[in-house]
Amino acid sequence: MTSTAKPRTLQEIVDSVPNIAQYLYNNQTGPRIYPVVQPEYTNWRDEQRSWRETACLFDLSYHMTDLYVSGPDAFRLLERLAINSFKGFKPGRAKQMVACSPAGYVIGDVILFYLDEESFNLVGRPSVHNWVQYHAETGGYDVQLERDEWAVGDPNRRRKAFRFQVQGPNAVQILEKLNGGPLPDVKFFHMGWINIAGHQVRMLHHGMSGVAGAELIGPFEHGPEVKAAIVEAGKEFGLRQVGSRAYATNTLESGWIPSPLPAVYTGEELRAYREWLPAASYEGGGAIGGSFVSDNIEDYYLDPWELGYGSILKFDHDFIGREALEEMAKQPHRKKVTLAWNGEDVAKVFASLFGKDTPGKYIDLPLSQYATWMYDKVVNQQGETVGISTFCGYSWNERSMLSLAMLDEAYAEPGTEVTLIWGEPDGGSRKPSIEPHRQFEIRATVGPVPYAEPARQYRARLRGQ
């Protein structure tokens, strides 16, 4: 581009910079924030303990985007964009929908709620919402869209719906108390209705902490009354509200990687999409961070197997990316694992804060993300790169720094020792979340996904149903 005008689309950003990977690595944004919900209600250590030992309340009403899709072609549109099978998908159910590019790399994932005939809701980070909206607007589909953006920029804006989660060993007892009797018999990721504080509330059976729990959804204006009722009913069962500091660390124990880079920055097939995407979109406004650095943006793209989505990938329908994924299926793939960081090595990073030499990159607790998309290099004993570490933080329940990683199969067996490179090279990038620092090597032990034993047992029971 020869114009000095401010880029208006993602494609204009790509055209205006020498290298899009370097641009995103130095993008002037920090880590993902979780607005509105206060950082701590008590302290993040006890709040983490609550989902393992008693019960907890997550308020998810603000930090995710909702896209409501309705109309005669809604099912056909979503099926066309999902790697998941839609066979047997009916109103009253939900699924984790994963969307891929024509080249077979992951654009993102959302929770897809099948609310009613011809009526759906997508909930999560906005990368999939953008992809769905683009195809709805340009593909000749007979659908209507209603978009309710996450409240990052305007925390005082009213949302369409409240969204709470009650999780933990005592969750069912609390919900039964609120409902005034037994809960509806719904399977995992199926929905029913319960009564809370005189309001009919939609309930999704959704366990994250190793036992059955629920996500509760209703009109936003009912939220304060419903939330107050949950807090009151939970007092005798040790319920704790979870603040924004502890909230995102739950995924370290359950194993979901929430922040893959959307694979949309290259490919002529995606040019029209990039020309449609605003420059201020999630894709244009995020930042890459970590010790893994490449000038090739495609080195940051991830396939479904790496993210643990191989089991939900089904070639029983026509979808964007199918041809590429059928070829990828024949190849080896990196495997998703949990890394448990060596405590002594982590302590050395903290100790460096008190020396005269340049310290290591500050490790924030409990969530240690300092960029939108984290990519840390993982090496073997010979210093060869064998994988990428992504989402990272501290689990009080496991007494360990954990991260969710993707490793070459030869290094993915639990118990294998690898080394994570913590901190960015050459003193760090120009992101505002980066202070001058030096890199540290942190030994790590490969563990399973999910890392938490209760979560593994719960998933095994679900598979046996």
Side-chain angles (χ1 to χ4, degrees), residues 184-191 204-206 462 465:
D185 184 17
V186 293
K187 295 180 180 179
F188 183 71
F189 256 48
H190 286 54
M191 292 179 282
L204 171 71
H205 176 180
H206 181 22
L462 292 173
Q465 288 183 356

Side-chain angles (χ1 to χ4, degrees), residues 77-84 86 96-112 122 125-133 135 260-264 270 273 302-304 307 309 312-313 317 319-322 325:
L77 166 66
L78 296 169
E79 185 179 36
R80 170 70 176 152
L81 302 179
I83 71 171
N84 316 62
F86 273 44
Q96 185 179 16
M97 174 184 167
V98 179
C100 284
S101 71
Y105 293 102
V106 173
I107 289 173
D109 71 294
V110 292
I111 301 301
L112 174 62
L122 291 76
R125 296 188 181 217
S127 52
V128 175
H129 304 67
N130 295 338
W131 185 240
V132 170
Q133 184 175 342
H135 285 279
L261 178 79
V264 300
L270 291 174
Y273 180 54
L302 302 171
D303 67 44
L307 290 165
Y309 298 144
I312 67 174
L313 168 60
H317 64 296
F319 62 90
I320 292 176
R322 173 174 173 166
L325 287 167

Side-chain angles (χ1 to χ4, degrees), residues 52 109 113 203-204 225 315 343 434 461:
R52 185 75 67 87
D109 71 294
F113 294 85
M203 183 191 78
L204 171 71
E225 194 173 353
F315 298 114
I434 298 296
R461 290 196 301 272

